[in-house]
Amino acid sequence: MSISLSVLDHLGLNLYSNTPAVISEVIANAWDADATRVDVTIDTAAKAITVTDNGHGMDLRDINNRYLLVGYRRRDPSSQGPLTKLGRKPMGRKGIGKLSLFSIADRIAVHTQKTNSEPEAFQMDAEEIRQNVKAQEQSNENEQNPKVPRYSPLPIEFDGSGLSGGTGTTIKITDFKRVRLTGSSISGLRKRIARRFELLSDDFEIVLNGNTVRFEDRDYFHKARFIFQYGDHDYSVHSRNLDIDEETGERLAFTRPHRFDEDGNADQAGAYETRGWIAIARRSNDLDDSAGGLDDNLNRITVLMRGRVAQEDILQEYRLGGMITKYIFGEIHADFLDEDEEDIATTSRQQLAEDHPKYKALKNFLDTELRHIWTETNTLKMRRALETALESNPHVKQWYDNLRPTSLKKRAKNVFRGIDLANMDDEHKHDFYATAVLAFERLKLEHALDQIDEIDDSNMETFLKWLADMDAVEATQYLEIVRYRLSVINELQDKVLRDDYERELRDYIFEHLWLLDPAWERATEYENMEERLQNAVERVNIRGRETVQPDVRYRRISSAHVIIELKRASVRLRKTAIEDQLNDYIAAVREEIQKDEDERRYPIEAICLLGKLPIGWDNPDVRTRDERSLREYGIRVLTFDEMVNRAHSAYSKFAQARAPVNELRQTIEAIRSYRPPSDD
């Protein structure tokens, strides 16, 4: 083998980052060798992967002049030409695929036999290659005519047990780097091999641990809601979960133009032809796939040439905007990219040269198609918005079927359409369904209120039912408020535990007084007075203001004047300092409200929020005595975590014990908590 260290590093050790891509290179070599079957065996006990094909095999000349020749031009007319003996278009081109094995493993053993030739077997070790080549390159540093570094693989005993037909090649991969072979590796590799090859050929079988890899092993067509197809093959037959057209009863699969010109414009007489499909998933999280312990994101459009992956994802080339891009996945076959002698693939073998005219034409064509799909998908989803909601949540359907009057059903269709078009995940979607249902229950009551004048003794039962419904709606609405507040409190509790709550609470507490007392709701009609009294308390002269750095707010609630003083989490004060400072604020507020006869009737309450208890309050007796003294002035002291814990306890108890259980609440809870069963 003739090779430099830079070539070994760039095209071997760092060529690929995942096992399926590497195994795909070996399978592609089997195709080029006219094999009709290739067996991939994962031995988790021996920690080895073996790939065996029944192709034409190699003799000693082939090994040295072709296999070990890095950069061997497989398609060169002076070599084997544009077609194999069976008339196949070869997948390989640059002759560097064999180096990719060193991306995942350090040791490779090759056993091969060609008709009428002696069997051959040899072993290559990545570290030995590196040390051998490095030594030769160093010895060349002072030579006027340096020699190309060469490496001679180690001959080993031939083991032809896997070559049942007498010819073919077996490659055994061991000493893996960062690769763990487990039972799940088999299912994961099967899925990924199926996705990296076309697998529509009858004369080439890929077998993984004794089972043939089939087209359906791709395991993603069931995720399609709509599918757009290019070429003659009908991929929709594999897509069992496509939406159905309400008028025709046909599945929503669409045939699109598949020929285009050099500028990427659709043209039946265009020079370029593609085939494949682009689909829209029902939910964005459907495209978060995992197999063999590896995460795999299906939110991409793969480009294949000659039946194998040439570019992992072309979708990332586009900046379409909008949530719809998170639902797209697909596969485009573009053999025209690989018809000339010029190689359009980059050295990494996982990307195509973006400045190549053919690649630009493909990009332009797909850009037009993606914009069409985006528009068409939004139209389809708009038409089916209500059906989607009813199909995705049986509790919504049950509620909708009983919804009266008819005018509300028409409004419901528009609301559910908006929710569906928002393209949110399941958890948030069902939350919005529940909120929408509650809103419509309120609308039902308003409709009933319009009819109240018609109520008399003869239909008093109807009137009483309406009152009961109103109680149920109001109770459920309040429970929604409690649920929201608990979620806020839980988030604040996390921040308290992480000691990063000071900045977060500073503004939030002043706008959400219910954190301090569940009965406190801010009255917006007092904004002018709040501004006036806020200025008054800020003008109070505080002793040692430079050290204390007070942060004080005044708020007017329905039943009191409230002063809130917030101290930095690191500050520790004595009770006397708190008393002096807050009494000054109270005096400033009292002076202002004395000017208004109505306002001076309401009490003044002051709260000091601290990160740490006042000095001496670790003694329960001292704390009890100080708190009693402060209460006489209308002053309370709380720490941040006490405030959050008390609020959480108050609202939790209401949610668990006092919230009435009624049919509407049960419906809302069922809608919110429902999750559709997996399609897998």
Side-chain angles (χ1 to χ4, degrees):
M1 174 181 284
S2 301
I3 190 172
S4 69
L5 275 179
S6 61
V7 171
L8 177 64
D9 288 337
H10 189 59
L11 301 182
L13 303 180
N14 301 313
L15 184 61
Y16 290 131
S17 59
N18 63 82
T19 302
V22 172
I23 301 303
S24 295
E25 287 285 354
V26 185
I27 294 173
N29 286 343
W31 168 271
D32 292 351
D34 280 336
T36 58
R37 174 176 172 131
V38 55
D39 283 85
V40 180
T41 302
I42 299 179
D43 188 335
T44 57
K47 294 181 172 53
I49 296 179
T50 303
V51 185
T52 300
D53 69 65
N54 63 352
H56 52 57
M58 297 179 288
D59 58 19
L60 189 60
R61 177 183 176 85
D62 293 329
I63 292 171
N64 286 315
N65 295 340
R66 294 178 180 175
Y67 188 82
L68 294 180
L69 178 57
V70 178
Y72 169 66
R73 297 173 61 85
R74 169 65 183 77
R75 305 182 195 177
D76 195 298
S78 62
S79 300
Q80 291 178 293
L83 300 175
T84 68
K85 290 182 179 180
L86 289 182
R88 293 176 177 174
K89 292 182 178 180
M91 295 180 180
R93 181 186 282 271
K94 282 187 169 73
I96 60 175
K98 79 276 295 185
L99 289 180
S100 69
L101 297 170
F102 293 118
S103 300
I104 63 170
D106 286 326
R107 183 166 296 174
I108 312 298
V110 179
H111 302 260
T112 184
Q113 184 165 14
K114 189 175 183 178
T115 303
N116 300 323
S117 299
E118 292 294 321
E120 303 290 344
F122 58 94
Q123 178 177 286
M124 295 186 291
D125 185 285
E127 185 57 29
E128 290 180 4
I129 297 174
R130 170 180 287 280
Q131 296 302 327
N132 185 291
V133 172
K134 183 178 181 180
Q136 293 183 58
E137 287 185 347
Q138 290 175 346
S139 67
N140 283 336
E141 290 179 357
N142 299 321
E143 298 289 335
Q144 292 184 345
N145 298 308
K147 298 178 181 179
V148 177
R150 295 181 180 275
Y151 164 74
S152 297
L154 175 69
I156 59 177
E157 183 178 351
F158 175 75
D159 177 8
S161 58
L163 306 179
S164 57
T167 65
T169 300
T170 293
I171 295 179
K172 188 173 184 179
I173 310 166
T174 57
D175 293 11
F176 287 95
K177 303 182 295 186
R178 303 182 302 276
V179 175
R180 292 179 63 249
L181 298 181
T182 63
S184 60
S185 301
I186 300 173
S187 60
L189 186 58
R190 175 180 302 279
K191 185 182 294 188
R192 285 163 175 78
I193 287 176
R195 293 173 182 176
R196 299 188 72 87
F197 290 93
E198 186 171 5
L199 294 177
L200 294 177
S201 173
D202 294 330
D203 62 347
F204 188 64
E205 183 181 16
I206 303 173
V207 180
L208 176 60
N209 276 39
N211 296 312
T212 300
V213 179
R214 303 188 183 280
F215 188 80
E216 52 268 27
D217 288 327
R218 294 181 175 195
D219 192 34
Y220 50 38
F221 281 107
H222 65 284
K223 301 175 184 291
R225 180 180 183 182
F226 317 120
I227 191 168
F228 301 82
Q229 305 187 103
Y230 305 86
D232 296 332
H233 186 75
D234 184 9
Y235 294 93
S236 70
V237 299
H238 308 286
S239 309
R240 64 178 183 268
N241 293 323
L242 292 177
D243 275 5
I244 305 298
D245 188 286
E246 297 175 19
E247 297 178 358
T248 66
E250 299 290 330
R251 294 183 303 165
L252 292 177
F254 306 93
T255 300
R256 298 293 302 156
H258 66 287
R259 297 194 72 94
F260 52 95
D261 61 22
E262 289 84 351
D263 295 322
N265 300 315
D267 184 350
Q268 289 185 349
Y272 304 137
E273 178 181 12
T274 190
R275 52 194 172 85
W277 54 276
I278 297 175
I280 302 296
R282 191 169 303 278
R283 299 174 291 267
S284 61
N285 56 6
D286 285 345
L287 301 183
D288 294 332
D289 194 20
S290 179
L294 299 173
D295 291 331
D296 195 8
N297 182 18
L298 296 178
N299 182 207
R300 61 188 178 190
I301 298 177
T302 303
V303 179
L304 290 87
M305 299 187 313
R306 299 197 175 192
R308 65 175 292 196
V309 171
Q311 180 157 316
E312 299 279 356
D313 182 19
I314 197 173
L315 182 61
Q316 64 183 351
E317 299 273 2
Y318 302 95
R319 299 293 181 266
L320 297 176
M323 290 286 290
I324 192 65
T325 54
K326 296 183 179 180
Y327 290 70
I328 293 176
F329 64 115
E331 176 182 289
I332 295 296
H333 298 258
D335 289 348
F336 69 90
L337 296 174
D338 196 22
E339 290 177 347
D340 304 328
E341 291 187 12
E342 182 181 4
D343 190 359
I344 193 173
T346 60
T347 307
S348 72
R349 316 310 297 162
Q350 300 184 79
Q351 196 78 12
L352 299 173
E354 61 183 19
D355 59 346
H356 195 284
K358 288 186 176 181
Y359 183 67
K360 289 182 177 180
L362 177 64
K363 273 189 62 177
N364 291 340
F365 173 73
L366 290 180
D367 180 63
T368 302
E369 285 302 301
L370 288 171
R371 294 181 186 279
H372 168 82
I373 291 170
W374 185 3
T375 302
E376 185 71 10
T377 295
N378 282 330
T379 301
L380 291 168
K381 293 181 72 174
M382 192 171 295
R383 281 168 38 194
R384 291 190 47 78
L386 180 60
E387 289 74 13
T388 299
L390 300 185
E391 291 170 2
S392 64
N393 193 315
H395 306 291
V396 174
K397 185 178 189 310
Q398 183 179 11
W399 169 84
Y400 180 81
D401 289 343
N402 296 314
L403 179 62
R404 299 292 185 275
T406 306
S407 59
L408 286 185
K409 283 196 169 186
K410 293 180 180 179
R411 296 186 194 180
K413 185 171 184 179
N414 291 329
V415 170
F416 287 123
R417 173 188 299 163
I419 294 174
D420 192 47
L421 291 178
N423 293 322
M424 61 188 72
D425 58 43
D426 275 349
E427 180 178 355
H428 291 93
K429 177 178 290 187
H430 294 287
D431 260 344
F432 272 88
Y433 286 159
T435 303
V437 167
L438 189 55
F440 276 99
E441 288 295 324
R442 187 71 188 185
L443 287 175
K444 281 172 58 178
L445 296 183
E446 292 179 3
H447 176 79
L449 189 61
D450 292 338
Q451 312 300 319
I452 196 169
D453 290 337
E454 301 177 10
I455 294 176
D456 55 29
D457 292 343
S458 63
N459 57 7
M460 185 57 66
E461 184 178 346
T462 302
F463 176 63
L464 293 176
K465 182 180 184 302
W466 172 73
L467 287 178
D469 287 345
M470 184 170 66
D471 286 342
V473 170
E474 290 183 347
T476 304
Q477 285 180 320
Y478 190 71
L479 188 60
E480 292 295 297
I481 296 173
V482 170
R483 182 189 304 279
Y484 162 73
R485 291 184 174 183
L486 279 173
S487 68
V488 171
I489 294 168
N490 288 333
E491 182 178 347
L492 292 179
Q493 278 185 314
D494 290 340
K495 296 181 182 301
V496 168
L497 293 174
R498 295 197 302 269
D499 290 333
D500 62 356
Y501 53 88
E502 179 183 352
R503 179 178 57 83
E504 299 291 340
L505 283 180
R506 186 175 299 274
D507 294 324
Y508 201 89
I509 186 65
F510 296 135
E511 299 302 324
H512 300 82
L513 299 182
W514 51 263
L515 281 166
L516 296 170
D517 191 318
W520 284 3
E521 296 289 349
R522 187 180 177 189
T524 57
E525 65 265 27
Y526 299 112
E527 288 183 358
N528 291 335
M529 188 177 70
E530 283 187 352
E531 183 177 355
R532 176 167 55 88
L533 269 72
Q534 178 69 39
N535 292 332
V537 296
E538 288 181 353
R539 290 196 301 267
V540 171
N541 291 321
I542 301 298
R543 287 166 288 180
R545 177 181 288 271
E546 295 77 10
T547 304
V548 174
Q549 294 182 333
D551 191 352
V552 63
R553 294 289 189 278
Y554 165 84
R555 290 292 182 263
R556 173 69 163 88
I557 63 172
S558 59
S559 59
H561 303 276
V562 177
I563 302 168
I564 306 167
E565 168 65 27
L566 188 148
K567 298 293 187 184
R568 287 185 174 179
S570 58
V571 171
R572 292 202 70 184
L573 298 174
R574 294 188 179 278
K575 172 258 188 184
T576 52
I578 297 171
E579 182 178 303
D580 290 343
Q581 185 174 336
L582 289 183
N583 272 328
D584 286 343
Y585 292 142
I586 291 172
V589 171
R590 180 173 289 114
E591 181 180 351
E592 288 293 324
I593 65 176
Q594 287 299 321
K595 304 172 185 177
D596 189 318
E597 183 177 351
D598 290 333
E599 291 300 325
R600 64 180 181 228
R601 293 186 298 112
Y602 294 101
I604 302 173
E605 298 192 38
I607 293 180
C608 183
L609 279 173
L610 303 172
K612 300 177 181 179
L613 286 173
I615 297 172
W617 280 29
D618 50 343
N619 184 317
D621 293 335
V622 173
R623 178 171 184 172
T624 300
R625 184 178 63 251
D626 286 353
E627 286 182 329
R628 185 185 305 116
S629 173
L630 290 170
R631 275 200 302 272
E632 294 179 0
Y633 299 104
I635 299 172
R636 280 191 288 156
V637 175
L638 286 175
T639 62
F640 293 138
D641 53 355
E642 282 178 339
M643 177 200 67
V644 174
N645 290 336
R646 288 183 183 184
H648 186 275
S649 175
Y651 285 105
S652 294
K653 288 178 180 177
F654 176 88
Q656 294 170 4
R658 296 184 57 197
V661 176
N662 55 63
E663 184 178 348
L664 175 59
R665 178 186 167 189
Q666 290 176 336
T667 298
I668 296 297
E669 292 296 326
I671 291 173
R672 175 178 284 107
S673 61
Y674 178 77
R675 293 296 177 270
S678 173
D679 293 330
D680 295 336

